[in-house]
Amino acid sequence: MYLIFDKLSATVVGGVVILMLFTIQSRIQSNTVESTIMYGVKKQTLNFAEVLERDLSNAGYLSVPGDAGILSHSNVMSGTRVLTDSLEFWGSDKTGNRTRVRYLLQPTIVTRIDGEDTQLYRMDRYELVAGTWKPSGASMSTLSDFRIDLLDSGNNGVINRVDARRLRVRFENAVVSQRMIDGDGSDRGLYLNKLRWGITLSPKGLSMQTFQS
């Protein structure tokens, strides 16, 4: 009888130990996957931020007094947020030639962030080549916020784009922790974190706007 009880106890204890080891291993694997996802998203975010910073630093590239460096700028409301959906300016291509650059915000998917449905976006970049707008890059497709403010030299917002001397850019990128599929088969990713990036720039070319020699 005691022998049977000892074996039963050993079996129970062994099962608990195995369950604990399985739980620990699952957590380790989950943390590893989340760390890998976070690293990839951080890399994508910084890569896009570098392109954006380089582009906006060259806004008004090779302008002369009286030129308009910022050609168009548009904001839209998305729920309670103000998003910049388009920006066009004189910039430079990869070879250093002066060209018109355009950024356009495109909606991608709707997902839940902090318990609320949130529209995500992708920012597409274009260059004007021989009179035709050519795609020349894009952000990740998980932007939850994107805004560029036109400022004067005192960091005050301006109404007329020709009065802009500085550009303040802010964007957020949602981090995918786990993907979930709705009953109808639609993709509803679960985004747990947001990566935020921002900078204020003073492009030399914008100093030429509205100035007549």
Side-chain angles (χ1 to χ4, degrees):
M1 183 68 181
Y2 290 108
L3 182 59
I4 295 175
F5 182 76
D6 289 342
K7 288 185 177 180
L8 181 60
S9 299
T11 301
V12 173
V13 172
V16 171
V17 171
I18 292 175
L19 181 60
M20 290 176 62
L21 292 175
F22 177 77
T23 302
I24 293 172
Q25 180 65 25
S26 297
R27 288 180 178 177
I28 292 175
Q29 290 178 347
S30 178
N31 290 338
T32 300
V33 171
E34 289 185 6
S35 297
T36 302
I37 292 174
M38 180 64 76
Y39 173 78
V41 175
K42 283 182 178 179
K43 186 176 181 180
Q44 289 180 332
T45 302
L46 291 176
N47 286 344
F48 175 61
E50 288 177 358
V51 174
L52 192 60
E53 181 178 354
R54 183 178 65 248
D55 259 350
L56 297 182
S57 295
N58 285 327
Y61 186 63
L62 297 182
S63 293
V64 298
D67 278 352
I70 304 296
L71 302 174
S72 68
H73 173 260
S74 173
N75 287 339
V76 295
M77 291 295 299
S78 177
T80 59
R81 298 172 299 165
V82 177
L83 304 177
T84 297
D85 66 334
S86 69
L87 178 70
E88 185 180 333
F89 55 93
W90 282 107
S92 64
D93 60 18
K94 294 180 179 179
T95 61
N97 292 320
R98 189 173 192 249
T99 186
R100 289 168 67 176
V101 178
R102 177 183 289 175
Y103 278 90
L104 294 177
L105 195 65
Q106 303 292 340
T108 53
I109 66 171
V110 176
T111 190
R112 293 189 68 81
I113 299 179
D114 298 330
E116 297 182 358
D117 285 345
T118 303
Q119 176 70 60
L120 300 183
Y121 302 88
R122 182 188 68 249
M123 179 58 76
D124 293 333
R125 182 186 187 277
Y126 299 86
E127 289 183 3
L128 189 63
V129 180
T132 302
W133 288 104
K134 300 289 187 181
S136 57
S139 73
M140 63 297 296
S141 299
T142 51
L143 294 178
S144 56
D145 194 14
F146 187 93
R147 181 168 175 173
I148 296 177
D149 294 313
L150 308 184
L151 310 174
D152 61 19
S153 57
N155 288 331
N156 302 303
V158 300
I159 298 177
N160 298 319
R161 51 185 169 76
V162 293
D163 295 327
R165 297 296 178 267
R166 294 181 177 177
L167 301 175
R168 181 173 61 207
V169 56
R170 303 284 187 271
F171 72 82
E172 291 181 352
N173 189 23
V175 181
V176 183
S177 177
Q178 180 183 358
R179 303 212 67 83
M180 300 181 66
I181 306 298
D182 281 346
D184 60 1
S186 59
D187 193 347
R188 303 280 288 185
L190 176 63
Y191 297 84
L192 299 182
N193 299 291
K194 297 178 183 177
L195 293 178
R196 295 178 174 87
W197 184 89
I199 195 172
T200 300
L201 303 167
S202 300
K204 182 179 179 181
L206 296 190
S207 64
M208 299 295 178
Q209 293 196 131
T210 71
F211 175 75
Q212 301 294 331
S213 58

